[in-house]
Amino acid sequence: MKILLVNPPDKHFSRLAGPNQANFIHHPNAPPMGLLYLKAYLKQKTDFEVQLWNSQSPSAPGEKELRAKLLEFQPNLAGITTTTGNWYDARETARLIKSALPQCHIIVGGVHTSVYPEETLSQPEIDSIAIGEGEDTLLELALRLSRSQSPEGIPGIWFKSNGKIICNPPRQVEKNLDRFPFPDRSDFSPEQYRLSADRFSRAAIIITSRGCPFHCTFCCTIDKHYRSRSPENIVAEMLACKEQGYLAIDFYDDIFNINKNRVLKLCDEIIRQKVNLPWICRCRVTPMDEEMIAKMASAGCERIQFGVESASQRILDMIKKQITPEQVRHAFSLAKKYNILTLGYFMIGFPTETREEAQATIDFAFELDPDFAMFHCLIPVPGSEIYEQAIQSPGFFGDYGREFAKNPSPNFVWRSWSTTLTENEQFKLIRSAFLKFYFRPQYIIRSLKKLSSMEEFLAKAQTAFKILTTR
């Protein structure tokens, strides 16, 4: 049995409307972590030949190279990962594979398939889709196909039989994440992924937990079952990455600090094992307190990314954020006290939001004065509660995400939602916020003093150019 795991290209990655595009820091060299987990698990559990094809590598192999690879390797099973953002390229990749190897079974996975399962599987080139966690689902499918058996009954699989879509029962989430092997990074160089907002360090992405129990209306996280790995397991992966030449860690959890006790134990283990690698994470402002942030700083935390969203308590309550502006102030002040860099996410354009509330959110960013700020207009994304609200509004664009899932096109653009503020008014506020925040003389001087290399300078100069030129 031969299996090819495919990360499709991002040549036609969907654009964000207006100045939102300035926030879009797409890392084409970032390893596709889902596929790396799948490859490691298949190699651990089987003797199948498993290879990875990365169309987003620095060398960026194209269609000609992929076709040659297919004819040389002759996989029986091809697994393609996709988001809605690169669904067009994923579908085109499936077409290429099926045209080269008509008998190859093609399965597609990723968040997109959970949001739009029927639309994905309706594409004639696609034989099955995986919904939810993929490790055991793909393993069971590969074992079945190796025996020329049907996928019928495999939890988490939808497939086609005689032109009819068969929906197998859902797969239960895995509670014991420690049983999965570390991602197989053998196809990637530590040089490929850099933390451009910090010291441009070559970084390993590590996922310490899965799922998010919160219900923010603007978020499309499907997995609401929070589970975490043990501190010992996480630190073992950190040490393995250090041995491979990585100089920093990007903890890529939805929320790193959901459980305070877990954070404290993990930091203690990092310190005990003398990992000595800087790391960044994404946190909620609650339950952040001084004990937690002091321990994080001692364990090497260099940057925390906080979702602030709004300065208005009315808006925060409406979007089910479950935080207050005062809690935001407290978290940012603690980070500064312990010399941890901060990045804040700020959003305007919520339904019924007034211009005064939107401006207050932008002013709040200047009051907090994080090291980095991301200003967004609300983009209702498929799978979120707010998208379902938007598509019922006569002033929106209808269920255009579903239409794109049915008929992917190369020029897809995500749309903002104009309720109280027009789209143009939102764009002007966001563009002005970016320019005023990042081009303050004191901010420029502060940033220049922190530069550690010419690479970092060039990366930040490129970001500044993007802010200046994005309309």
Side-chain angles (χ1 to χ4, degrees):
M1 185 74 174
K2 294 183 177 182
I3 303 170
L4 187 66
L5 302 175
V6 181
N7 189 29
D10 60 349
K11 293 186 297 184
H12 303 95
F13 204 97
S14 55
R15 292 186 65 257
L16 298 175
N20 276 345
Q21 192 67 18
N23 289 295
F24 187 61
I25 304 174
H26 183 50
H27 297 289
N29 297 337
M33 297 305 294
L35 296 185
L36 271 57
Y37 267 107
L38 294 175
K39 183 181 177 185
Y41 194 61
L42 289 169
K43 288 173 66 176
Q44 181 189 74
K45 296 293 184 180
T46 73
D47 59 359
F48 297 153
E49 190 173 353
V50 185
Q51 294 188 16
L52 178 71
W53 182 265
N54 182 22
S55 296
Q56 297 181 33
S57 67
S59 57
E63 295 181 1
K64 180 180 177 181
E65 290 82 3
L66 175 56
R67 185 177 292 274
K69 177 67 176 180
L70 291 166
L71 296 177
E72 172 207 347
F73 184 51
Q74 294 283 318
N76 312 99
L77 171 62
I80 303 173
T81 185
T82 188
T83 63
T84 302
N86 75 329
W87 170 224
Y88 174 80
D89 285 320
R91 196 278 306 271
E92 292 302 293
T93 298
R95 284 183 169 178
L96 189 155
I97 295 172
K98 191 62 80 172
S99 68
L101 299 174
Q103 301 307 311
C104 179
H105 185 104
I106 298 177
I107 181 170
V108 176
V111 176
H112 176 81
T113 62
S114 296
V115 178
Y116 293 125
E118 292 184 14
E119 290 78 8
T120 305
L121 197 49
S122 68
Q123 304 298 319
E125 302 81 14
I126 295 171
D127 300 297
S128 63
I129 60 171
I131 298 177
E133 287 178 325
E135 287 92 345
D136 287 306
T137 299
L138 186 61
L139 172 63
E140 292 181 30
L141 175 65
L143 291 171
R144 291 278 190 94
L145 294 178
S146 71
R147 303 170 190 143
S148 300
Q149 295 175 343
S150 166
E152 188 170 359
I154 298 176
I157 288 273
W158 287 26
F159 69 101
K160 285 184 286 198
S161 178
N162 298 320
K164 180 182 178 182
I165 293 178
I166 308 297
C167 307
N168 288 346
R171 181 173 294 278
Q172 298 300 308
V173 297
E174 177 56 56
K175 296 179 180 179
N176 178 22
L177 299 183
D178 283 6
R179 82 176 183 87
F180 294 131
F182 301 153
D184 185 337
R185 296 181 172 86
S186 59
D187 294 300
F188 292 84
S189 164
E191 298 287 343
Q192 284 186 218
Y193 179 66
R194 303 295 190 97
L195 293 180
S196 57
D198 302 302
R199 295 178 299 177
F200 216 62
S201 300
R202 53 190 192 228
I205 296 175
I206 293 181
I207 300 170
T208 77
S209 65
R210 296 184 184 182
C212 175
F214 294 95
H215 297 84
C216 302
T217 62
F218 57 87
C219 183
C220 64
T221 298
I222 303 297
D223 185 356
K224 296 299 180 182
H225 302 88
Y226 176 76
R227 302 93 69 210
S228 63
R229 296 163 56 189
S230 69
E232 295 78 11
N233 184 262
I234 297 165
V235 170
E237 184 176 355
M238 294 177 75
L239 290 170
C241 290
K242 185 177 182 180
E243 184 69 22
Q244 293 165 19
Y246 292 94
L247 299 179
I249 302 296
D250 183 352
F251 286 133
Y252 216 81
D253 303 29
D254 288 332
I255 304 175
F256 180 76
N257 68 328
I258 285 178
N259 185 311
K260 176 182 174 179
N261 189 50
R262 179 191 94 104
V263 173
L264 295 179
K265 287 183 177 179
L266 173 57
C267 290
D268 282 338
E269 186 67 11
I270 292 172
I271 295 168
R272 188 183 73 81
Q273 294 270 22
K274 297 181 173 62
V275 175
N276 294 324
L277 287 178
W279 48 274
I280 70 169
C281 59
R282 295 146 187 83
C283 292
R284 282 177 59 86
V285 297
T286 59
M288 190 63 73
D289 62 17
E290 187 151 9
E291 181 186 15
M292 184 191 297
I293 209 158
K295 185 70 73 171
M296 291 169 65
S298 298
C301 179
E302 284 203 338
R303 187 180 87 218
I304 301 175
Q305 301 177 191
F306 290 112
V308 178
E309 321 318 344
S310 178
S312 165
Q313 190 63 59
R314 182 184 77 85
I315 297 294
L316 292 172
D317 292 342
M318 182 179 71
I319 63 177
K320 303 178 183 179
K321 186 69 180 178
Q322 298 183 42
I323 63 172
T324 69
E326 193 52 46
Q327 290 170 333
V328 173
R329 291 185 180 96
H330 183 61
F332 276 80
S333 67
L334 284 175
K336 289 183 180 181
K337 179 178 179 180
Y338 287 91
N339 296 313
I340 296 176
L341 299 175
T342 54
L343 184 153
Y345 295 98
F346 304 88
M347 195 181 308
I348 67 169
F350 292 105
T352 75
E353 182 181 49
T354 65
R355 183 181 183 87
E356 290 72 26
E357 287 173 318
Q359 185 61 55
T361 293
I362 294 170
D363 293 342
F364 195 34
F366 285 82
E367 175 194 334
L368 296 171
D369 195 25
D371 296 276
F372 308 97
M374 296 293 196
F375 299 99
H376 301 256
C377 299
L378 170 69
I379 301 291
V381 292
S384 69
E385 180 180 333
I386 214 162
Y387 181 81
E388 295 305 313
Q389 297 170 4
I391 62 177
Q392 303 301 320
S393 170
F396 195 57
F397 300 88
D399 197 354
Y400 77 117
R402 190 175 303 278
E403 290 304 313
F404 174 66
K406 291 178 184 177
N407 302 293
S409 60
N411 300 309
F412 183 71
V413 178
W414 293 109
R415 308 305 312 184
S416 61
W417 184 14
S418 301
T419 56
T420 310
L421 294 172
T422 67
E423 184 177 70
N424 191 49
E425 287 174 324
Q426 293 177 47
F427 288 174
K428 285 184 177 179
L429 283 169
I430 291 296
R431 178 165 170 74
S432 173
F434 267 121
L435 292 174
K436 288 180 180 178
F437 186 90
Y438 283 104
F439 292 92
R440 294 172 291 165
Q442 66 269 33
Y443 181 87
I444 294 173
I445 293 170
R446 186 174 74 190
S447 298
L448 290 173
K449 286 181 178 179
K450 292 180 180 179
L451 289 174
S452 60
S453 67
M454 180 56 69
E455 281 183 307
E456 183 182 357
F457 171 77
L458 292 174
K460 290 184 176 178
Q462 184 179 31
T463 301
F465 180 77
K466 188 174 185 180
I467 292 171
L468 283 170
T469 56
T470 300
R471 293 290 186 269

